[in-house]
Amino acid sequence: MPGVPSGRGCNACRKVKKKCEGGDDDVQCARCKRLRIPCVGLGQKRYKFQDEGQKFEAIGKKTTAIVVPLPHQATTTPQFLTRNPSNSMTRLVSAMVDKIDPATDIRYQLIWNFGGYLAEIPRRLGANAALDAASDVLVAAHTNYCVLGRPRSDNRLLVKYSHALTALRDALDNPVQAHSSETLCAIMVLMIVQALTTRSKGFTASHPEGATQVLKSRGLTGPCNDFERTLLRTLRGPVVFEALVNDKIHFTQQEWRMLVESGPDANIVDVVWFAALSRLPELMQRCRRALHDFPATKELPDLMTETHDLLESIRGNIVALRERLRDFEKNPRPAGMIELIHSHRVRMLGMGLSTGILYSCVLSALSGMPLHSETNEWSMEILCLSEVAVRWRPLGAMAMIFCLYTAWIAASSIVLRDEVRALLEEYEITCLGSLSVSDMGGYLNWMEQRFFLREIELHKVVPSIF
């Protein structure tokens, strides 16, 4: 042990490891006296301290080190930093913070493309198991997406996704957690995961349906805090777009207004088209009943008037969005956000044009008249906007897929339809993964029948393109 007293022999005897015979009162030991050499250190107390530096050095070598070359150092002289203590939760928080970095390229940026509520997730991790599991699978899915530049699913990701679904089911079964903002946020995060992973044929899971049930069970009341306000503003988008192709999502006209048109942003130019689009699912249901139920035919004039008035408001909104985009292209600013703002305004104009096309289809079905020539012009304009947005693919231009679907429906010539479809297939492969040509044709024909209010199989599985 360190500090234990050793023998009291002289230095000469200790050096040759000989027994030193001498007492405390002796000046010279017997060996030194016989050899007639100086006897130094006889009777002195000595303490033996062990050098344990090698043991601690060996322990330190077991710790993983991060090599960080300093700017002023040569590459052959790395600086070693030991890793800070961490656990699975701190690693998840760190990974999530890295994924929502606003400095990320717009092609792969999560916040700009999927909602500002993502910035609040790291500080809320650890309080809701469903949100923790959803965030974990989002980190894995986004990493795969960025590495390959396209959706990809592997066994590890599927295991994480299965765990997230189990955690979400447990949260929804809990009466307290079912109505919490974190559980609703977990559903929205899983929507993003669906967009970042390869679509499987026959895959019918619809997280917007789950979000609809949560919204109805908690009531369409005002938000409790800023996080919930941002969350609800972002959630209404996926719910509205899913309702266009999924009759299982059903709100009354009053509920749609409470969900979409409430809040300070109800009248800004970016929301006018969206407010009109949110009224389309419920309007289409009433129009279908009026067309296919003989007693309801007396409602057709009123429905035509309502649809025409909404289409007129969309026309005005399209003009405003188009002028705003042209003004920006003439004088782009601010310098640090040119690409972000440009992509946003291209996206908004494309969405406005698509909304106008869908209302024109419904009006054509009610009146029995062909589409107006302006819808063909809108289709060509969407094609041009989608070609501009190619440089923001995959995530930054994903919204243009919806616009291209509507552009194909409105195209009046076979040539234009072929051009739109070719670009749409390119977008599908780049942004959402591979899709067979036969599937593409089936989806396009299904959407054309649906928005022209023709008899279709309402249970048919359609892609989650919105």
Side-chain angles (χ1 to χ4, degrees):
M1 293 177 62
V4 175
S6 61
R8 299 186 182 185
C10 68
N11 293 344
C13 294
R14 287 168 57 84
K15 185 175 182 180
V16 295
K17 298 182 179 180
K18 296 292 184 179
K19 184 177 181 182
C20 186
E21 298 179 349
D24 295 338
D25 298 333
D26 295 337
V27 178
Q28 198 173 20
C29 70
R31 182 172 175 275
C32 292
K33 186 176 181 180
R34 178 171 54 82
L35 296 175
R36 297 180 180 179
I37 59 176
C39 186
V40 180
L42 178 63
Q44 293 181 1
K45 293 182 178 181
R46 296 180 177 86
Y47 296 89
K48 184 178 181 182
F49 294 96
Q50 297 179 357
D51 183 9
E52 297 186 339
Q54 294 182 352
K55 181 177 72 173
F56 289 109
E57 183 179 354
I59 295 174
K61 288 181 179 180
K62 296 180 181 178
T63 304
T64 304
I66 303 174
V67 181
V68 181
L70 300 179
H72 64 279
Q73 290 180 323
T75 56
T76 57
T77 311
Q79 178 74 22
F80 288 89
L81 300 176
T82 58
R83 192 180 299 277
N84 292 330
S86 64
N87 54 31
S88 59
M89 182 53 62
T90 58
R91 289 193 294 271
L92 176 59
V93 172
S94 178
M96 195 64 194
V97 169
D98 179 65
K99 291 300 179 185
I100 61 175
D101 184 3
T104 305
D105 192 317
I106 187 177
R107 295 174 299 169
Y108 300 100
Q109 188 176 140
L110 290 177
I111 288 183
W112 188 261
N113 294 305
F114 293 105
Y117 71 95
L118 292 169
E120 295 292 325
I121 291 181
R123 71 184 67 182
R124 294 176 180 271
L125 292 175
N128 185 290
L131 182 57
D132 296 345
S135 301
D136 188 28
V137 69
L138 174 61
V139 169
H142 187 256
T143 299
N144 288 348
Y145 196 93
C146 293
V147 170
L148 297 179
R150 58 182 176 83
R152 177 196 175 209
S153 298
D154 53 26
N155 292 335
R156 182 178 63 90
L157 183 61
L158 293 176
V159 170
K160 288 179 178 290
Y161 187 73
S162 177
H163 175 65
L165 291 178
T166 302
L168 178 60
R169 184 180 64 246
D170 294 340
L172 293 175
D173 290 338
N174 187 313
V176 177
Q177 293 186 358
H179 299 161
S180 68
S181 302
E182 286 74 16
T183 300
L184 196 59
C185 182
I187 297 176
M188 296 186 63
V189 171
L190 291 179
M191 292 184 200
I192 302 176
V193 172
Q194 277 189 328
L196 300 181
T197 53
T198 305
R199 294 182 305 187
S200 301
K201 191 173 182 180
F203 182 68
T204 58
S206 176
H207 293 299
E209 289 183 28
T212 302
Q213 296 301 322
V214 173
L215 288 174
K216 286 190 172 183
S217 63
R218 72 197 298 270
L220 296 176
T221 57
C224 301
N225 48 56
D226 291 339
F227 171 68
E228 193 169 292
R229 181 178 295 104
T230 306
L231 195 64
L232 292 176
R233 286 182 182 176
T234 308
L235 176 62
R236 60 192 182 183
V239 170
V240 169
F241 285 116
E242 185 74 13
L244 292 173
V245 296
N246 188 347
D247 288 334
K248 294 181 180 179
I249 296 180
H250 176 73
F251 287 107
T252 64
Q253 191 171 0
Q254 181 63 26
E255 289 174 334
W256 278 121
R257 286 199 179 99
M258 293 177 62
L259 178 64
V260 175
E261 299 180 14
S262 60
D265 62 347
N267 296 317
I268 62 176
V269 67
D270 287 338
V271 182
V272 173
W273 66 265
F274 183 71
L277 188 66
S278 67
R279 299 179 60 177
L280 187 58
E282 189 269 341
L283 177 64
M284 289 172 59
Q285 292 179 357
R286 288 190 286 132
C287 292
R288 251 189 235 108
R289 289 195 300 267
L291 288 173
H292 303 301
D293 297 341
F294 181 76
T297 54
K298 59 183 180 181
E299 299 178 6
L300 283 177
D302 295 336
L303 290 172
M304 291 177 60
T305 301
E306 181 180 354
T307 305
H308 181 270
D309 292 343
L310 287 168
L311 182 57
E312 284 297 319
S313 68
I314 296 169
R315 287 191 179 106
N317 187 224
I318 289 174
V319 172
L321 291 169
R322 186 184 293 124
E323 291 178 352
R324 188 181 66 167
L325 176 60
R326 289 175 180 173
D327 291 342
F328 177 80
E329 291 174 342
K330 292 179 182 178
N331 185 22
R333 60 186 189 279
M337 298 184 65
I338 290 178
E339 287 299 308
L340 294 177
I341 297 176
H342 192 192
S343 66
H344 173 72
R345 296 190 175 180
V346 167
R347 182 190 311 172
M348 290 298 102
L349 177 56
M351 288 295 180
L353 293 168
S354 298
T355 305
I357 288 174
L358 295 182
Y359 267 93
S360 297
C361 292
V362 174
L363 185 60
S364 174
L366 293 174
S367 63
M369 301 294 291
L371 287 175
H372 195 275
S373 59
E374 69 178 352
T375 57
N376 189 67
E377 297 173 359
W378 290 346
S379 179
M380 290 188 291
E381 189 170 359
I382 288 175
L383 182 62
C384 295
L385 292 173
S386 300
E387 291 172 347
V388 171
V390 165
R391 66 175 182 266
W392 301 312
R393 291 189 317 203
L395 295 185
M398 188 177 288
M400 300 307 296
I401 295 178
F402 166 71
C403 302
L404 287 170
Y405 269 92
T406 60
W408 184 89
I409 296 174
S412 60
S413 66
I414 297 177
V415 175
L416 181 56
R417 280 199 166 190
D418 289 342
E419 292 180 0
V420 172
R421 178 165 177 169
L423 187 57
L424 177 58
E425 290 178 357
E426 184 181 330
Y427 264 83
E428 284 273 359
I429 294 173
T430 304
C431 300
L432 300 177
S434 60
L435 186 68
S436 67
V437 177
S438 60
D439 288 341
M440 171 71 73
Y443 295 148
L444 288 170
N445 292 330
W446 186 91
M447 289 189 63
E448 183 179 23
Q449 294 180 40
R450 180 174 180 82
F451 291 109
F452 277 103
L453 307 179
R454 298 167 186 164
E455 288 287 352
I456 55 176
E457 298 178 8
L458 296 181
H459 64 276
K460 183 177 179 65
V461 177
V462 294
S464 180
I465 60 173
F466 313 132

